Amino acid sequence: MNAQSRSVTLIGAPLEEGSGRRGAAMGPAALRIAGVDQTLIDLGHDVADIGDLSVVPAMDLPNHPKAHNLRIVGAFTRALESSVYDVAAAGRFPLILGGDHSLSMGSVSGMARYAASKERPLFVLWLDAHADFNSPATSPSGNIHGMPVAFFCGEADFAEILPKDRPFVDPKNVFQVGIRSVDAREREEIHEHGVNVFDMRAIDEQGIGAIMREILAVVAKANGLLHVSLDLDFLDPDIAPGVGTTVPGGATFREAHLVMEMLSDSGLVSSLDLVELNPFLDDRGKSARILVELTASLFGRRIFDRPTRAA
């Protein structure tokens, strides 16, 4: 996906129940206020906003003692899986405005079903401080936003939120970049299943450009679709404070933009999550604006095209 015009559909997912604190439900509104739609329109893209998904708790699901708020998270998972699949099948680019990271259980599952319908593999680029490969059996907190990768890889033991015979993502097709907070059991699970992890030490030693070239070459060789899931805490909290799970030592502004520009140049990206923005914790919209700027880079804008603004 380079600077050519794309048809983009915005899907709001005001989900906060997967995390341990309130506020992420305001993320979609903050991203709209920060101008995500107009920014893409100004870049020449066709943008449709279908609004926020509205769900009621899925009462067929149990109350799970180690997967908090499963009924509401499960309802969002089902709604997102269906909505993302429908948007992709209509030839449009699903851009999900979150919401906490449990929403990726639905968005990635929807793209996995779409990729399977096209007989192409789905790859996932997970830009995050956390690996999110816990399950109810391994999670120290029981917060579902720490479980989505294990879920869409078929390795998290939930009640039947989605059909058991649905397409899963091969863990070896998951690339996690920016990782710097992993639970002990989670580390073992990641190693056992072959998830590709590039932590902050790897970024420091190899450089973000070399890592992205390696990832994109694998996806291109396989003729894969690439889903990008961008958690705000991928960035250093000094840059983007509006997140409930801050971990020091994250990606810099320049590194994050380089990732997005290389993704744009590759033409491989088929869908995008923007997650874990908590406007209640933000500094006057700073984090929301940064997420919109990064999205603009993914859709063809370059840093050197941006006018210098006064501080």
Side-chain angles (χ1 to χ4, degrees):
M1 182 181 64
N2 45 40
Q4 78 266 23
S5 178
R6 296 293 300 264
S7 297
V8 183
T9 296
L10 305 181
I11 306 169
L15 171 62
E16 63 187 12
E17 289 83 359
S19 69
R21 64 191 306 168
R22 306 289 297 274
M26 298 185 289
L31 289 165
R32 291 185 177 101
I33 292 169
V36 64
D37 51 352
Q38 192 59 50
T39 297
L40 297 180
I41 291 169
D42 290 346
L43 287 168
H45 303 288
D46 165 41
V47 179
D49 188 345
I50 63 173
D52 289 348
L53 297 177
S54 178
V55 304
V56 296
M59 300 309 292
D60 61 300
L61 297 176
N63 282 315
H64 199 302
K66 295 186 177 180
H68 304 322
N69 303 311
L70 177 59
R71 287 174 171 172
I72 189 67
V73 174
F76 267 105
T77 299
R78 290 169 177 173
L80 269 168
E81 192 277 343
S82 176
S83 182
V84 167
Y85 173 81
D86 289 345
V87 167
R92 300 183 65 87
F93 183 107
L95 200 170
I96 299 89
L97 310 177
D100 72 62
H101 222 156
S102 63
L103 68 81
S104 296
M105 291 163 51
S107 61
V108 177
S109 295
M111 286 306 297
R113 177 155 66 102
Y114 173 70
S117 75
K118 296 297 183 181
E119 299 183 335
R120 297 175 66 184
L122 180 66
F123 292 79
V124 177
L125 177 60
W126 198 257
L127 301 170
D128 199 333
H130 306 87
D132 293 339
F133 206 88
N134 274 305
S135 68
T138 66
S139 172
S141 69
N143 294 327
I144 300 179
H145 74 161
M147 308 180 193
V149 181
F151 178 85
F152 61 65
C153 289
E155 300 298 336
D157 182 21
F158 285 101
E160 193 166 342
I161 299 175
L162 296 174
K164 293 186 182 299
D165 61 350
R166 70 186 186 275
F168 293 110
V169 178
D170 185 338
K172 296 179 179 62
N173 289 357
V174 177
F175 295 90
Q176 301 192 323
V177 177
I179 304 299
R180 53 196 189 277
S181 177
V182 183
D183 298 318
R185 269 292 300 280
E186 192 180 23
R187 184 176 291 108
E188 296 173 6
E189 293 288 325
I190 290 167
H191 179 74
E192 177 184 335
H193 291 97
V195 177
N196 304 280
V197 177
F198 297 91
D199 60 10
M200 289 308 300
R201 175 171 176 171
I203 291 175
D204 291 341
E205 290 183 343
Q206 301 175 40
I208 195 71
I211 289 170
M212 288 303 301
R213 280 190 291 273
E214 178 181 338
I215 293 169
L216 293 170
V218 172
V219 179
K221 184 177 180 180
N223 188 33
L225 299 175
L226 180 60
H227 177 92
V228 176
S229 198
L230 173 59
D231 188 314
L232 184 62
D233 69 22
F234 169 68
L235 293 157
D236 191 89
D238 286 345
I239 303 169
V243 63
T245 51
T246 55
V247 184
T252 67
F253 185 82
R254 289 168 57 185
E255 286 170 335
H257 272 288
L258 179 58
V259 169
M260 294 299 157
E261 291 178 355
M262 293 181 73
L263 289 169
S264 176
D265 292 344
S266 76
L268 297 170
V269 182
S270 54
S271 45
L272 172 67
D273 299 327
L274 301 175
V275 305
E276 294 288 354
L277 170 63
N278 188 331
F280 187 76
L281 304 173
D282 202 7
D283 178 12
R284 294 175 294 178
K286 176 182 179 181
S287 302
R289 290 195 300 271
I290 286 174
L291 279 179
V292 170
E293 290 184 0
L294 291 173
T295 302
S297 288
L298 179 59
F299 281 86
R301 192 167 75 184
R302 295 292 174 264
I303 286 181
F304 55 73
D305 291 332
R306 295 170 57 246
T308 302
R309 291 199 298 264

